[in-house]
Amino acid sequence: MAANLPLSSRRRRSLFLLLALILILTLTLTPLLSSPRSPSSNLSSLTSSSSPPCGSLASDLTDGHWSNATTPRKPLYGATCPFHRNAWNCLRNGRAHMDAINSWSWVPDRCAGDPVPRLDPVRFLTAMRGKKIGFVGDSLNENFVTALLCVLWSGDESARKWKRKGAWRGGYFPKFDLIVGYHRAVLLANYTWMPVEKLGQYPKDEIMGMYRVDVDVAADDWNRITKFYDVLIFNTGHWWGPDKFPKEKPLVFFREGKLINPPLGIHDGLNVVISSMVSYIEKEVPGKTLKLWRTQSPRHFFGGEWDQNGSCLFNEPLKEHELNSWFDLKNNGINREAREVNEIIREAILGTSIELFNLTHLSEFRADAHPAIWLGKKDAVSVWGQDCLHWCLPGLPDTWVDLLTARILHFFGR
């Protein structure tokens, strides 16, 4: 029909359509053109809003620096937390410089100059209602879980101690039906003491006995809780040395009930145990569980080992350029343990569903944050030396807690 219209009518119709199109484009583009945000800033905003929260990525632990805040964040708990362990309760023990210890904040490189956000305990407890968080390992994991318990207690002071399922210690938060437990398994694998009287092939004047380590058997302390927890954090490493197992009380390694030949030294034994426990975790822990392997917490003994007057009476963190002189394996120093064990851990969990929780680097700086001589008992230092292994509470482990809880919330999409 359009072909039969007069020429003037067709022109008017075309002009009308053109004006209508211009009007539509004007109405569509005007808000965009009048906006002060450029296309690049809109893209930046989109990227920022979709980025994982600060502290929730693995790189947030390894890529960053410590900042001495001009207005320090006050710790969420004090000396009265019921979950404290005496030797780490540095406020009650009168440890000097506690304000300075807690004035430092970890700032991940990707967080635009902002420190890892302080955990909101009520928000976390609410988001994780009905969940269970478990720690398995040695006293450094106990140090870690104690900080978590105290931080969460500040959000639910009705929390009570919990020691079920074989837990060494733990807490139940009734308002939120949340459980946090710690299972003490210093080698992760099962080990038992065998006195020399039962070892006829060994001369009695050489050893007092041996510790049998079944490298393929998980310790009783945790082998029945693999399906109980929604989050599991593992560690081992600090007991694997001559101070815990001297030559007169050696570790001897067995697999499938038989002595491993040729016999393994303690370092090779650690390697085999970690590999075996990783395989066990992969087999026994459900895929829906968040599985983290915590890397080694560094020691800061200066001038000698713990039993050789080693000291850590520092007033501020180490500088970046000082770290290798303390911890690099090439220097064969007394604090090399952390990086040495970490190499074994990284290789063992490669290609598995277990994620690395690498708190070593950020902790290497904090030579200032140990209990040192403030141990809560009169003769503790003369008997045990300074504690340059564990950490003051409140203190550095509270930053571990901020990073751990950010990781947990991100994993569960909360």
Side-chain angles (χ1 to χ4, degrees):
M1 289 181 61
N4 297 325
L5 291 173
L7 181 60
S8 59
S9 298
R10 291 203 300 271
R11 286 177 176 172
R12 283 196 299 273
R13 182 177 180 183
S14 298
L15 181 60
F16 174 78
L17 291 173
L18 179 61
L19 291 173
L21 179 60
I22 292 172
L23 178 62
I24 292 171
L25 288 174
T26 301
L27 293 173
T28 302
L29 294 176
T30 297
L32 296 177
L33 293 173
S34 62
S35 172
R37 300 172 65 88
S38 68
S40 61
S41 66
N42 289 330
L43 179 61
S44 175
S45 174
L46 180 63
T47 302
S48 175
S49 63
S50 62
S51 295
C54 180
S56 64
L57 297 185
S59 61
D60 292 339
L61 285 83
T62 57
D63 302 333
H65 65 277
W66 286 99
S67 172
N68 193 354
T70 53
T71 306
R73 297 186 295 185
K74 185 178 179 181
L76 294 175
Y77 59 93
T80 61
C81 170
F83 296 103
H84 262 306
R85 180 169 165 176
N86 180 49
W88 308 330
N89 190 348
C90 290
L91 288 174
R92 194 188 73 173
N93 297 339
R95 203 249 195 253
H97 309 298
M98 282 298 289
D99 286 343
I101 287 173
N102 286 286
S103 70
W104 294 88
S105 300
W106 180 251
V107 182
D109 288 347
R110 75 174 185 93
C111 297
D114 294 325
V116 175
R118 171 62 53 82
L119 172 66
D120 179 337
V122 174
R123 174 179 175 269
F124 181 81
L125 288 163
T126 302
M128 297 298 291
R129 185 182 298 275
K131 299 290 187 182
K132 305 173 186 70
I133 303 171
F135 291 72
V136 180
D138 57 34
S139 61
L140 269 298
N141 252 8
E142 184 180 2
N143 206 178
F144 195 173
V145 77
T146 302
L148 177 60
L149 287 167
C150 284
V151 168
L152 296 182
W153 170 77
S154 72
D156 179 8
E157 294 190 359
S158 68
R160 55 180 181 264
K161 295 181 179 180
W162 183 88
K163 294 181 68 174
R164 299 180 184 178
K165 299 287 184 178
W168 182 267
R169 68 186 304 172
Y172 175 64
F173 298 82
K175 292 181 181 178
F176 304 91
D177 189 29
L178 182 133
I179 290 172
V180 177
Y182 162 67
H183 298 259
R184 188 175 185 270
V186 297
L187 303 185
L188 293 183
N190 194 55
Y191 76 105
T192 53
W193 171 246
M194 301 176 66
V196 72
E197 291 78 14
K198 296 183 179 180
L199 306 170
Q201 70 270 35
Y202 291 92
K204 293 184 179 181
D205 59 346
E206 291 186 9
I207 64 171
M208 299 171 62
M210 65 173 58
Y211 287 97
R212 169 178 171 153
V213 182
D214 290 283
V215 301
D216 50 354
V217 179
D220 291 341
D221 309 81
W222 69 279
N223 63 13
R224 291 183 291 274
I225 53 88
T226 54
K227 297 173 177 61
F228 179 71
Y229 290 102
D230 301 286
V231 180
L232 279 167
I233 302 100
F234 298 94
N235 98 291
T236 187
H238 295 290
W239 275 60
W240 295 80
D243 57 324
K244 299 294 187 183
F245 301 105
K247 61 181 181 180
E248 61 270 18
K249 297 179 180 179
L251 295 176
V252 181
F253 300 93
F254 289 71
R255 181 187 284 117
E256 296 180 351
K258 298 179 181 179
L259 178 68
I260 296 177
N261 269 312
L264 300 176
I266 196 166
H267 185 270
D268 291 333
L270 170 61
N271 200 334
V272 171
V273 165
I274 288 182
S275 296
S276 296
M277 292 300 99
V278 165
S279 297
Y280 179 82
I281 293 166
E282 285 285 87
K283 178 183 177 182
E284 296 295 332
V285 179
K288 64 180 180 180
T289 304
L290 173 58
K291 300 177 284 290
L292 299 172
W293 197 293
R294 180 183 65 71
T295 60
Q296 288 300 93
S297 172
R299 312 170 342 142
H300 289 95
F301 288 99
F302 180 77
E305 273 284 5
W306 65 272
D307 57 350
Q308 299 169 347
N309 295 319
S311 177
C312 51
L313 296 174
F314 297 92
N315 295 331
E316 61 180 22
L318 300 176
K319 303 293 191 296
E320 178 90 41
H321 69 270
E322 297 177 292
L323 298 184
N324 281 341
S325 65
W326 278 75
F327 304 108
D328 197 300
L329 299 181
K330 292 181 291 187
N331 295 326
N332 201 34
I334 60 175
N335 298 293
R336 68 185 182 280
E337 169 198 273
R339 295 189 185 184
E340 194 170 50
V341 174
N342 284 353
E343 289 185 354
I344 297 174
I345 295 170
R346 286 191 187 93
E347 184 175 346
I349 70 170
L350 188 66
T352 72
S353 62
I354 304 171
E355 300 179 21
L356 200 67
F357 191 76
N358 190 353
L359 53 70
T360 304
H361 175 66
L362 69 89
S363 304
E364 285 182 343
F365 293 89
R366 299 308 305 274
D368 60 313
H370 297 283
I373 61 174
W374 293 273
L375 302 178
K377 291 185 178 180
K378 183 178 179 181
D379 299 322
V381 175
S382 61
V383 175
W384 299 107
Q386 293 190 30
D387 188 351
C388 304
L389 172 63
H390 301 99
W391 304 93
C392 277
L393 297 178
L396 171 65
D398 299 330
T399 297
W400 300 352
V401 167
D402 292 337
L403 290 158
L404 173 66
T405 51
R407 186 88 157 257
I408 291 173
L409 290 172
H410 183 57
F411 177 84
F412 287 103
R414 305 295 171 87

